[in-house]
Amino acid sequence: HTRYWRDWSSDVCSSDLIVGTITGGLTLMLGAIGAISLLVGGIGIMNIMLVSVSERTSEIGLRKAIGARSSDVLRQFLVEALVLSSLGGVIGSVLGLSAVAGVAALTPLPAAIGASSVLITVSLSGSIGLIFGVLPARRAARLDPITALRSL
């Protein structure tokens, strides 16, 4: 009869443990959602840059025909991807700061975002643009000038 006895007092959870478990789960879920959002944004930037390369084939061919090196074309498209994604990061940060200011003004909740968070956000968005801009930039840099000029 003693082997069926269970000490239930060890199964009682404190509220701190429950709150910590829920907070950890929510943090993990929000991190996963953020990572998926970054991936989708990066794919969007890559598609925009690929369309830009295909629409500007003649411009790339002309630049290469008059002496631009492949590294110059590569650098141009990487800078465009960096500017595009960083601008998106700045716009997102401004919208986020506005939302936080609205929450702080309309509710009793203390809401603030540090400058380091904004800097990290813009830097992360710029690096996502650079990473996903490599493929279109390499495609533009590898264009043959003669083939590109035939599209005129």
Side-chain angles (χ1 to χ4, degrees):
H1 131 12
T2 58
R3 72 179 207 193
Y4 295 110
W5 173 254
R6 181 175 170 105
D7 184 11
W8 293 100
S9 64
S10 63
D11 290 344
V12 175
C13 294
S14 69
S15 62
D16 291 341
L17 179 63
I18 294 171
V19 168
T21 303
I22 291 173
T23 303
L26 288 175
T27 301
L28 183 65
M29 183 183 70
L30 288 175
I33 290 171
I36 292 169
S37 298
L38 287 173
L39 180 67
V40 169
I43 291 171
I45 287 172
M46 184 172 62
N47 286 333
I48 289 170
M49 296 304 296
L50 284 170
V51 168
S52 176
V53 168
S54 66
E55 288 180 351
R56 296 165 58 189
T57 302
S58 58
E59 173 196 337
I60 296 164
L62 186 61
R63 285 192 68 209
K64 289 184 90 174
I66 61 172
R69 296 180 308 243
S70 292
S71 61
D72 296 331
V73 176
L74 181 79
R75 190 176 307 111
Q76 173 190 350
F77 279 92
L78 284 177
V79 167
E80 287 180 17
L82 176 67
V83 168
L84 180 68
S85 59
S86 296
L87 187 61
V90 168
I91 291 170
S93 295
V94 167
L95 290 174
L97 288 169
S98 300
V100 166
V103 166
L106 298 175
T107 66
L109 297 173
I113 295 180
S116 62
S117 297
V118 173
L119 184 64
I120 290 170
T121 302
V122 174
S123 300
L124 185 62
S125 66
S127 63
I128 292 292
L130 278 178
I131 291 168
F132 283 91
V134 169
L135 177 71
R138 285 175 61 197
R139 186 172 289 178
R142 289 182 179 163
L143 278 176
D144 180 36
I146 295 170
T147 307
L149 286 174
R150 284 190 186 142
S151 68
L152 281 174

